[in-house]
Amino acid sequence: FGCFFLLSCSKQILDIKNQTYKSYNRNSEKGYIVTFELNNTAIIPKSIVINGIVQNISIENKMGNTYQVNVIAQTSIIHNYQVKLEEKENGIYFEKDSKEFFQPVKFKLIKDSPKH
């Protein structure tokens, strides 16, 4: 069903599940922890866009079918770190058959429960 669904759509839509992000602010670093599940192993996620920031995805970000990416918004820990900005909606860049394509993704914001 998955392959047929991909072929029948003119736009390549991937089955991305449990797509969430959570902001953090600790130790002179701010950013987002972005998590998503991808069951199609033929397609490689290359980078993620969250709130206008682009972060590359490496093999270390993959645990089974789940990816967890630390998207750094600002840091004073990493010397000369440059945040890559892009005016694009939230989503993921993928590579398939040596071609790169972008799929918009509605990431769900996870808020920390307030401390009582």
Side-chain angles (χ1 to χ4, degrees):
F1 172 73
C3 291
F4 172 74
F5 179 71
L6 265 178
L7 294 171
S8 65
C9 293
S10 59
K11 197 175 179 211
Q12 290 175 298
I13 306 266
L14 291 173
D15 187 21
I16 298 167
K17 292 190 177 103
N18 301 325
Q19 62 275 27
T20 61
Y21 74 102
K22 189 171 151 173
S23 64
Y24 70 87
N25 184 352
R26 61 175 181 261
N27 304 337
S28 315
E29 188 171 290
K30 288 181 183 171
Y32 307 98
I33 302 296
V34 182
T35 308
F36 64 94
E37 242 175 82
L38 180 67
N39 294 324
N40 188 338
T41 53
I43 296 173
I44 300 154
K46 300 303 281 178
S47 60
I48 204 156
V49 179
I50 194 90
N51 297 342
I53 302 165
V54 184
Q55 184 75 45
N56 289 338
I57 298 172
S58 69
I59 196 75
E60 288 84 38
N61 299 127
K62 187 175 195 249
M63 295 154 285
N65 290 339
T66 303
Y67 290 82
Q68 184 172 317
V69 184
N70 179 15
V71 179
I72 299 170
Q74 65 185 96
T75 181
S76 58
I77 301 167
I78 305 167
H79 187 62
N80 288 339
Y81 185 81
Q82 292 292 312
V83 174
K84 273 173 53 184
L85 300 175
E86 187 167 304
E87 285 190 23
K88 206 170 196 63
E89 62 197 308
N90 291 349
I92 303 170
Y93 281 100
F94 290 95
E95 190 177 290
K96 184 179 198 276
D97 306 326
S98 302
K99 289 187 184 72
E100 197 173 85
F101 65 95
F102 180 81
Q103 178 168 323
V105 177
K106 298 268 184 260
F107 290 101
K108 189 173 148 233
L109 176 62
I110 297 174
K111 290 186 163 77
D112 284 328
S113 52
K115 312 247 185 308
H116 292 287

